[in-house]
Amino acid sequence: MTDLCKAYRSLPFKIFLKHRWLLALLMILLLSLGCFHQYTGYVSFFFRAIRYTNELVENPKPVAIHHNHQGRNESVVCIIETSLGDACEGLGFASLVLETIDDITTCLARGFVPTVIWTECDYCGPPGNGQNYWTWYFEGRNEDIVQQAKTRVCMAPKRHPYGMPSVYLTRTGAMGELVDFRFADLENKVTEYYQPITAETRALANHVISGYLQPAARIKNAVDTFYQSFMADSINIGVHVRLKAGHAREMTLNHQTPPELQDFVQVVHRLINDITAKYADREIRIYLASDLDQVIKEFKSKFGNNRVLHIAASRGKSLNDDVIRKDSPNLLGDQVFTDILLMSKCDYFVHDESNVASVTYYYNPNLKSYYVSGDASDFRRLNAQPRFDSEELFRQAVAKETRNIILPDWRDDTLWAGLKARGGMLFRLLFTERQYLNTLRCFYKNMKWSKCRREFLRSKFASDSDIKKLMDL
């Protein structure tokens, strides 16, 4: 008690009591400054995002042009950096491949020399080292001339279905890019619909795949070994089953009814009966790719352990399991790509709506489609022969891209349109779309490896007239 009284009468304590309100006010002020500093950090990020990300706001497919005065190669190099966009946040391997095919086709149609760079994405490798993960999966093309070329054109990654039309669009009233195309034909069924896949779509995509998406030797050797060991002497049915909740929601948003597991089983049963009636002495194998262990188990119980083939892969255990077990990004990509290539080597293909199914379908132009949700008209369309060969289809793509480039320049928009776009972006950042913020972070994270880094960060994009000049239009 004596010590307490001494402490109470001490000089520091008296000063504290005398000025306690002033000290309390100072503490509140310091806390306010800390909060203000943190808040201004967020505000600063938002306004930098608005300043530096026109390609995520105004432009369907802008490009940046980088002039290298030390370059000696006169070719215009078209650099495709699809991983700059939302590839860090849930974009699947097959979706990334389809976006890349679309961009390669656009570059070729413009007369540019395409090369692809994947930096960080969900299916790439360890972040932050600047490695081109495209060459982990595919043979590299035109990489050497990137540094040697006088002019580089860098495709921006973000896409808007209502913007500049894809070279693959053929129907008036349809929308979307290759990644959006559907196996179903929804024209006359819904007000707005994505382009249905046609024989011409398949032929042109396969033309690009043949030149620019050949598997890397590591992947090709693994696929060939599996095929020779288990599939070479059989009639093979490739089956892709995707049933998880997220995929069902996606189909519902596109006004389609998600199939059930038994729908796939029934189609395979009928197909086996038809094959057996025609080739009684041939062994039939089923190569199954699925996102669920439950599907593997069901197929083996229906068709036999020896008949059903699959690779070891990360899957959910059941329909109620909404989480895929995580492996390294490279391994996940390897598994998806291996499934695609092995299914493309089959004689028949049972599938529903899926970008994995689309890439498989494009890899083999002779693979016969059994689209589970389709009707007779879908079957005829998907298994028809193209009306034109690939060279003529590419010539049409060149003509289409030449017409598309003659559009109103995005920089001709009114001041009000620009303010409105930026205001909408700020609102989404602050109040609605967390996914949008994640996309921006992915963009900034990967931007350091971009060959047009300065141009993108300054929002210094090419106008239509700039592109037309490079195309000699």
Side-chain angles (χ1 to χ4, degrees):
M1 179 66 83
T2 304
D3 292 338
L4 185 61
C5 290
K6 287 181 180 179
Y8 180 80
R9 291 193 295 268
S10 65
L11 182 62
F13 196 77
K14 287 181 179 179
I15 293 174
F16 174 78
L17 288 176
K18 184 177 180 179
H19 301 288
R20 60 186 180 274
W21 298 113
L22 180 62
L23 291 171
L25 183 61
L26 181 62
M27 290 179 65
I28 292 172
L29 182 61
L30 288 171
L31 287 171
S32 300
L33 285 172
C35 293
F36 179 75
H37 177 73
Q38 184 177 9
Y39 177 75
T40 54
Y42 285 119
V43 171
S44 174
F45 173 79
F46 292 144
F47 278 95
R48 288 201 314 274
I50 290 172
R51 179 184 174 191
Y52 289 144
T53 50
N54 283 320
E55 74 281 359
L56 297 174
V57 183
E58 296 180 274
N59 304 293
K61 240 189 195 181
V63 297
I65 299 175
H66 178 87
H67 295 287
N68 177 19
H69 299 295
Q70 282 73 44
R72 296 182 179 180
N73 194 308
E74 297 293 337
S75 299
V76 177
V77 179
C78 191
I79 302 174
I80 298 159
E81 302 175 303
T82 27
S83 60
L84 286 182
D86 51 3
C88 304
E89 194 66 34
L91 188 68
F93 177 85
S95 299
L96 202 60
V97 169
L98 290 171
E99 289 188 352
T100 304
I101 293 172
D102 207 328
D103 279 352
I104 291 173
T105 312
T106 300
C107 291
L108 291 169
R110 291 177 177 178
F112 304 156
V113 180
T115 191
V116 182
I117 297 174
W118 283 2
T119 45
E120 183 178 349
C121 65
D122 282 347
Y123 293 88
C124 298
N129 61 5
Q131 181 175 336
N132 183 7
Y133 290 110
W134 174 260
T135 58
W136 176 260
Y137 301 108
F138 304 94
E139 292 180 355
R141 288 290 303 271
N142 306 318
E143 292 180 289
D144 295 338
I145 66 171
V146 171
Q147 301 302 329
Q148 301 166 7
K150 287 184 177 181
T151 305
R152 302 175 195 154
V153 171
C154 296
M155 300 287 288
K158 194 63 181 178
R159 284 158 172 77
H160 298 276
Y162 301 98
M164 186 181 296
S166 166
V167 293
Y168 284 90
L169 271 175
T170 57
R171 287 198 188 181
T172 302
M175 63 181 183
E177 296 193 339
L178 195 61
V179 68
D180 305 305
F181 285 16
R182 315 296 289 179
F183 284 100
D185 186 351
L186 298 177
E187 187 176 8
N188 303 321
K189 297 179 182 178
V190 295
T191 304
E192 295 178 335
Y193 69 99
Y194 288 124
Q195 169 89 26
I197 295 171
T198 64
E200 288 74 29
T201 309
R202 185 186 203 180
L204 182 56
N206 181 261
H207 178 70
V208 175
I209 286 171
S210 299
Y212 287 87
L213 281 90
Q214 291 305 300
R218 175 184 59 83
I219 295 281
K220 186 177 185 302
N221 291 339
V223 168
D224 288 345
T225 298
F226 188 100
Y227 181 84
Q228 292 299 327
S229 299
F230 304 108
M231 301 168 65
D233 299 323
S234 307
I235 294 176
N236 298 296
I237 304 171
V239 183
H240 181 248
V241 182
R242 189 179 175 200
L243 296 176
K244 298 187 80 171
H247 181 60
R249 286 193 296 270
E250 177 188 331
M251 289 195 66
T252 302
L253 287 173
N254 285 291
H255 309 282
Q256 294 177 270
T257 303
E260 296 181 357
L261 177 55
Q262 288 309 309
D263 296 326
F264 291 90
V265 172
Q266 289 171 9
V267 172
V268 173
H269 261 305
R270 290 198 299 268
L271 183 53
I272 288 176
N273 290 338
D274 292 343
I275 295 170
T276 302
K278 192 173 182 180
Y279 305 102
D281 57 338
R282 295 290 302 278
E283 186 174 359
I284 301 172
R285 292 287 177 89
I286 300 168
Y287 182 83
L288 178 60
S290 177
D291 54 1
L292 295 169
D293 287 337
Q294 179 180 332
V295 172
I296 305 289
K297 184 177 179 181
E298 177 70 10
F299 263 73
K300 286 187 174 182
S301 70
K302 296 291 185 183
F303 302 107
N305 287 340
N306 294 330
R307 177 174 274 180
V308 178
L309 306 172
H310 61 89
I311 61 170
S314 296
R315 301 182 179 91
K317 293 182 180 179
S318 68
L319 286 171
N320 297 321
D321 180 10
D322 207 27
V323 179
I324 292 180
R325 295 185 292 276
K326 282 288 186 181
D327 288 307
S328 71
N330 306 68
L331 182 57
L332 287 171
D334 283 356
Q335 292 167 1
V336 177
F337 196 23
T338 300
D339 274 341
I340 287 170
L341 293 174
L342 284 170
M343 287 189 293
S344 74
K345 285 179 170 288
C346 293
D347 304 286
Y348 306 91
F349 185 34
V350 178
H351 63 92
D352 209 74
E353 296 286 4
S354 163
N355 284 331
V356 168
S358 298
V359 178
T360 301
Y361 177 80
Y362 297 147
Y363 255 93
N364 180 357
N366 299 313
L367 182 61
K368 194 168 185 179
S369 165
Y370 284 78
Y371 170 41
V372 170
S373 295
D375 55 25
S377 63
D378 291 319
F379 186 86
R380 287 192 298 271
R381 171 174 48 84
L382 293 170
N383 292 294
Q385 291 299 310
R387 292 168 295 169
F388 311 101
D389 62 25
S390 59
E391 295 297 330
E392 171 59 20
L393 288 169
F394 180 70
R395 190 199 65 76
Q396 294 175 13
V398 172
K400 197 178 304 177
E401 183 61 20
T402 303
R403 291 194 303 271
N404 289 345
I405 208 69
I406 307 174
L407 293 170
D409 196 318
W410 66 268
R411 287 189 289 204
D412 291 337
D413 286 343
T414 63
L415 175 62
W416 167 244
L419 291 174
K420 185 178 178 182
R422 285 163 174 77
M425 177 180 179
L426 181 60
F427 181 83
R428 291 197 297 273
L429 284 170
L430 288 172
F431 302 111
T432 57
E433 299 181 18
R434 179 175 179 82
Q435 177 67 34
Y436 198 79
L437 185 59
N438 291 334
T439 299
L440 285 179
R441 285 173 174 158
C442 178
F443 173 77
Y444 288 124
K445 187 163 48 176
N446 281 336
M447 183 53 62
K448 68 184 73 172
W449 311 116
S450 173
K451 300 302 180 182
C452 295
R453 180 175 182 272
R454 292 180 180 178
E455 288 78 9
F456 278 134
L457 287 179
R458 293 175 183 170
S459 296
K460 190 176 180 181
F461 299 125
S463 67
D464 294 334
S465 58
D466 295 330
I467 300 298
K468 287 161 64 178
K469 184 177 179 180
L470 290 178
M471 293 171 65
D472 294 325
L473 295 179

